[in-house]
Amino acid sequence: MTELQKRTVVVTGGSKGIGRAICLAFADTRTDVFFNFASDSRSADETIALIREKGGRSSGIRADVASEKDVSEFLKKVVDETGRIDVLVNNAGITRDGLLVRMKESDWDDVLDTNLKGAFNCMKIAAKTMMKQRYGRIINITSVVGVSGNPGQANYVASKAGIIGLTKSVAQELATRGITVNAVAPGYVETAMTTALGDQARQAMIDRIPMARGASPGDIAPVVVFLASDGASYITGQVIHVNGGMYM
């Protein structure tokens, strides 16, 4: 990229939580921020408004990352509008918690399809544009539990561990094309998803953190922005842990 070139950033699951914080961290007058959302159009509109307040141009598109067709149409719109994809952040994720012996097959499939297959779909399609450019930054959002494990989350943990393996493999495939692929592994982050755990479960998580607090989405976003920067041009295939010491 040249200094004068406008940057195109794509964030999956960007309408709220960590995804919204990442969108806002990238937003400036030289950046077009595109994100997808599954169903909450009101939150998507709020994210767009916040990005525009920071001088960025933004578009939120309803798309299911588990669907290759949806992802193809989503990313085609991005390329048709801007001609490029410079940064892809795979953040979209869901949970369907339950003990292994009670877990429904549909709960396993839904989580793996969104969290892991969704990242695969987006990387596969975006990489074709990035390879033509001979430039790209891919950042995948995994989780501390992808390396530590967590009872009651076999599906979620498997999806996040899979993202780590996917990151390392694709980093090796794309390195000679000027494309870096890294992962960020948050610990406990205060979002709507974790609030649903209940006060007792949330406190138990915080008790495991040496820094004695959960993260905010704003603690995660700057690390993503750094990995997309020129300062991280020689970093690829890495997992950056942002967890307050929860896992070392």
Side-chain angles (χ1 to χ4, degrees), residues 27-61:
D28 61 41
T29 56
R30 290 184 54 251
T31 305
D32 292 325
V33 180
F34 292 82
F35 65 91
N36 85 296
F37 63 97
S39 58
D40 190 349
S41 58
R42 182 174 181 177
S43 291
D45 289 342
E46 290 172 357
T47 299
I48 291 169
L50 290 167
I51 291 168
R52 289 176 179 170
E53 282 177 13
K54 296 188 70 173
R57 191 165 78 92
S58 180
S59 181
I61 299 168

Side-chain angles (χ1 to χ4, degrees), residues 13-223:
S15 63
K16 49 193 170 183
I18 294 173
R20 175 183 284 181
I22 292 169
C23 288
L24 293 176
F26 277 111
D28 61 41
T29 56
R30 290 184 54 251
T31 305
D32 292 325
V33 180
F34 292 82
F35 65 91
N36 85 296
F37 63 97
S39 58
D40 190 349
S41 58
R42 182 174 181 177
S43 291
D45 289 342
E46 290 172 357
T47 299
I48 291 169
L50 290 167
I51 291 168
R52 289 176 179 170
E53 282 177 13
K54 296 188 70 173
R57 191 165 78 92
S58 180
S59 181
I61 299 168
R62 189 188 301 270
D64 178 4
V65 293
S67 163
E68 185 174 4
K69 179 176 180 290
D70 275 18
V71 171
S72 294
E73 292 174 354
F74 170 40
L75 295 182
K76 184 178 185 300
K77 288 177 184 177
V78 174
V79 175
D80 285 349
E81 282 196 39
T82 70
R84 51 191 303 117
I85 299 173
D86 298 299
V87 181
L88 168 67
V89 183
N90 285 306
N91 165 76
I94 63 171
T95 58
R96 298 284 187 274
D97 295 349
L99 295 173
L100 174 69
V101 295
R102 297 176 185 168
M103 186 173 290
K104 292 185 284 187
E105 183 179 1
S106 60
D107 289 341
W108 174 272
D109 290 344
D110 288 348
V111 170
L112 270 291
D113 282 351
T114 297
N115 299 7
L116 183 55
K117 184 183 175 186
F120 161 77
N121 284 338
C122 293
M123 293 169 76
K124 176 184 175 182
I125 295 166
K128 294 174 184 177
T129 296
M130 291 179 172
M131 288 169 73
K132 290 176 185 176
Q133 299 166 175
R134 300 194 69 82
Y135 177 88
R137 299 284 183 264
I138 298 173
I139 301 101
N140 299 319
I141 306 301
T142 178
S143 169
V144 62
V145 301
V147 290
S148 69
N150 200 40
Q153 288 193 307
N155 49 3
Y156 184 76
V157 170
S159 72
K160 293 302 186 178
I163 284 175
I164 292 173
L166 182 63
T167 296
K168 291 177 179 291
S169 293
V170 177
Q172 293 179 47
E173 291 185 19
L174 300 180
T176 60
R177 304 300 185 98
I179 302 166
T180 64
V181 187
N182 292 289
V184 174
Y188 174 74
V189 184
E190 296 281 2
T191 66
M193 184 184 291
T194 55
T195 298
L197 293 171
D199 291 343
Q200 188 173 353
R202 289 169 62 214
Q203 189 57 51
M205 294 283 281
I206 291 171
D207 288 344
R208 294 168 53 193
I209 302 171
M211 293 187 73
R213 68 171 180 89
S216 72
D219 290 317
I220 312 304
V223 182

